[in-house]
């Protein structure tokens, strides 16, 4: 199941370190089959607020996502970003092929009816 790393970048720093980070990040992701799905996009906010930018990286599975983040190669360049850009970063599993939100609702109804929720 695809596993995602998402970052809410709260500022856009055009520092030399950030440029070096951008030049080097893909080579840290390649061994883990990571790929950018969204990179530095300024979202169109349709509900609530979202100050900043969005980055989403997809990996084939949780092990590769965490392996990349914890890798020596990525940890070496990470301060180049964190020293200049404030961010919240999360990792989250995607949904399996054939995911049906109605089935999720049915499970939640069953649990609620049983008093489990």
């Amino acid at each position: 199941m695809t596993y995602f790393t998402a970052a809410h970048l709260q500022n856009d720093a055009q520092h030399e370190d950030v440029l070096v980070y951008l030049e080097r990040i893909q080579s840290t992701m390649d061994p883990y089959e990571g790929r950018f799905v969204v990179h530095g996009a300024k979202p169109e906010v349709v509900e609530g607020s979202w100050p900043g930018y969005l980055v989403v990286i997809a990996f084939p599975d949780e092990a590769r996502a965490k392996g990349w983040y914890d890798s020596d190669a990525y940890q070496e360049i990470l301060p180049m970003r964190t020293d200049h850009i404030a961010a919240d970063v999360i990792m989250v599993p995607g949904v399996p092929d054939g995911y049906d939100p109605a089935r999720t609702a049915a499970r939640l109804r069953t649990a609620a009816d049983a008093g489990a929720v």
Side-chain angles (χ1 to χ4, degrees):
M1 179 181 329
T2 304
Y3 211 79
F4 297 93
T5 298
H8 175 198
L9 307 178
Q10 293 149 17
N11 60 298
D12 182 19
Q14 296 302 317
H15 189 278
E16 177 64 20
D17 283 353
V18 174
L19 298 175
V20 172
Y21 172 89
L22 290 171
E23 291 167 346
R24 294 177 56 190
I25 189 171
Q26 186 64 52
S27 66
T28 70
M29 294 166 31
D30 286 343
Y32 302 92
E33 299 179 59
R35 64 179 179 82
F36 283 99
V37 178
V38 177
H39 192 204
K42 181 91 172 157
E44 176 184 351
V45 179
V46 295
E47 292 185 31
S49 64
W50 187 283
Y53 303 87
L54 178 65
V55 174
V56 179
I57 303 170
F59 292 89
D61 53 46
E62 180 179 4
R64 283 180 266 199
K66 291 181 177 182
W68 162 73
Y69 190 86
D70 294 337
S71 71
D72 291 342
Y74 185 63
Q75 290 298 309
E76 179 182 318
I77 68 168
L78 182 57
M80 294 176 177
R81 178 184 55 78
T82 59
D83 287 351
H84 306 286
I85 298 176
D88 296 308
V89 179
I90 61 171
M91 290 187 166
V92 61
V95 297
D97 290 340
Y99 174 77
D100 181 354
R103 283 193 290 236
T104 299
R107 280 195 305 276
L108 292 171
R109 283 185 190 281
T110 299
D113 290 345
V117 177

